[in-house]
Each structure stands twice: as structure tokens, then as C-alpha cells.
Amino acid sequence: MPPPRKIDLIPTEIRLWLQEALKQRGFSGYVELTDELNTRLAERGEAITVGKSAVHNFGQEYEAFARAQEEASAWAVSWMEDNGLEDEAKRQSVLFQMMTTLAFKAMKSRMEQEGEDINPQELHFLGRMMKDLMSSSGMREKLKADEEKRIAEQAVQQAKAEMQGQIDDAEKDGAIDAEAAQKAREIMGFA
């Protein structure tokens, strides 16, 4: 088995920074980016430096992955709109299914390459990505449910305020007396 690439040995938070920096720079400026990466590694006390070609190769891989993600997301949105499934939770479910398919294809491809084993670190990142996607789906569903509950409670409060106003108006106009108005307020829970 070949030794791991240096880029794969950098700490996760620095790799995440590198991915974000690559996106922000439009996957260009590799010389400056390599200098910044090595400066960050040195400041952190890491005894590793990464070359421009390694950063460039990583950037190309990540760019292809980011494009595939964007295409998958656009496809999911289009597919759900075509099929009338615009619900956010269903979108997350479709994306999760697509990620599962992608993971399977990636693992199958790695296993078919002669003399190469699957890197456990790659499996870890793949599993983490899928866990984050599932987590995101649950959080979105909870946020949506909380928003629907808030809207329903607001509608109930508005309806109560309108009824209270109608009772007050009826009492002022003399349509009902003060005692009847008070009874109505008690029955409706306004007292």
C-alpha cells in the first residue's frame, strides 16, 4: 500500500480551511495558497509542509467534488419540482440517497483498483459527511415544525384578540351588558 499523501495528513480543521479557501479563490492562486497553508501548519507546530503540486492536485479533486455536489443538488431540486415534491425534508432524503449512491460508487471504484485498499480516513470523512447530512435533515424538519407551531400559536392569539375586541365593541355599543360581556370573556378564557 502506498504511503498516505501529505495533504491527507494535515489536521481536519486546516483541511476544512483549505477547502473553503479554494472555493473563495475560484480554485486558483495555488502558489499563494500553498504558502498560506504551510504558514498555518508551522504556526500550529505541525512538522509537515505541503508542496504546490499536492495542493493543486487536492484542489482539482475538491473542485470536481464540489461541482458534483452542486450538480446533484440542482438535479434533486429539478427532479422534485418536476415530481411535485418541493418539501424540504424530502429534498434532504433525496440528497441522502444520492450521497449513499455516490459513497457506494466511490468505495467500489477504490476496491477495484489493483493493489490499493480503501483508506480508513476516507471512510471516516464519508461517514461524517453522511451523518452531517442526516443531522441537517433532522434539524431542518425540527425548525420547520417549530415555525409551523409558532405561526399556529400566533394565529390563535390573533383570533383571541379579535374576539376580545368584538366583545369590547359589543359592550361599548350596548349590544350586550357588562355582565354578559364578562361571562363571554370568562367562557373564552380572556378573564
Side-chain angles (χ1 to χ4, degrees), residues 12 14 16 34 38 45 47 60 88 102 115 121 163 183:
T12 302
I14 293 180
L16 293 173
T34 301
N38 287 322
Q60 287 183 321
E88 183 71 23
L102 179 63
Q121 192 174 25
M163 284 189 254
K183 283 278 188 203

Side-chain angles (χ1 to χ4, degrees), residues 132-156:
D132 289 347
L133 185 60
M134 287 189 310
S135 233
S136 167
S137 176
M139 287 182 352
R140 286 178 184 259
E141 287 177 21
K142 183 182 180 325
L143 289 172
K144 185 177 177 184
D146 289 349
E147 180 65 9
E148 287 171 355
K149 181 180 176 186
R150 184 192 67 75
I151 290 169
E153 288 173 354
Q154 187 177 13
V156 167

Side-chain angles (χ1 to χ4, degrees), residues 5-75:
R5 304 178 309 173
K6 283 186 177 182
I7 200 86
D8 294 331
L9 299 175
I10 64 175
T12 302
E13 54 273 5
I14 293 180
R15 182 179 341 219
L16 293 173
W17 166 82
L18 179 57
Q19 290 172 342
E20 189 60 34
L22 283 163
K23 283 193 279 188
Q24 289 175 352
R25 295 171 190 222
F27 297 95
S28 63
Y30 287 101
V31 172
E32 297 83 12
L33 196 53
T34 301
D35 291 341
E36 286 180 45
L37 171 63
N38 287 322
T39 300
R40 283 179 182 261
L41 289 167
E43 287 173 354
R44 193 179 151 135
E46 298 291 334
I48 187 172
T49 57
V50 181
K52 180 189 132 331
S53 62
V55 173
H56 185 262
N57 289 341
F58 179 79
Q60 287 183 321
E61 290 170 7
Y62 185 66
E63 181 178 15
F65 175 74
R67 282 195 179 141
Q69 268 188 323
E70 289 171 5
E71 288 174 14
S73 181
W75 176 85

Side-chain angles (χ1 to χ4, degrees), residues 108-170:
K108 184 178 177 188
S109 171
R110 290 290 286 178
M111 289 169 45
E112 290 174 351
Q113 291 178 356
E114 195 169 315
E116 290 202 25
D117 293 326
I118 295 175
N119 181 344
Q121 192 174 25
E122 290 175 9
L123 287 177
H124 166 76
F125 289 125
L126 189 59
R128 184 172 169 194
M129 178 177 53
M130 293 177 79
K131 177 183 165 252
D132 289 347
L133 185 60
M134 287 189 310
S135 233
S136 167
S137 176
M139 287 182 352
R140 286 178 184 259
E141 287 177 21
K142 183 182 180 325
L143 289 172
K144 185 177 177 184
D146 289 349
E147 180 65 9
E148 287 171 355
K149 181 180 176 186
R150 184 192 67 75
I151 290 169
E153 288 173 354
Q154 187 177 13
V156 167
Q157 291 302 322
Q158 186 176 355
K160 281 185 174 182
E162 287 175 11
M163 284 189 254
Q164 176 73 31
Q166 289 173 349
I167 293 170
D168 292 344
D169 290 344

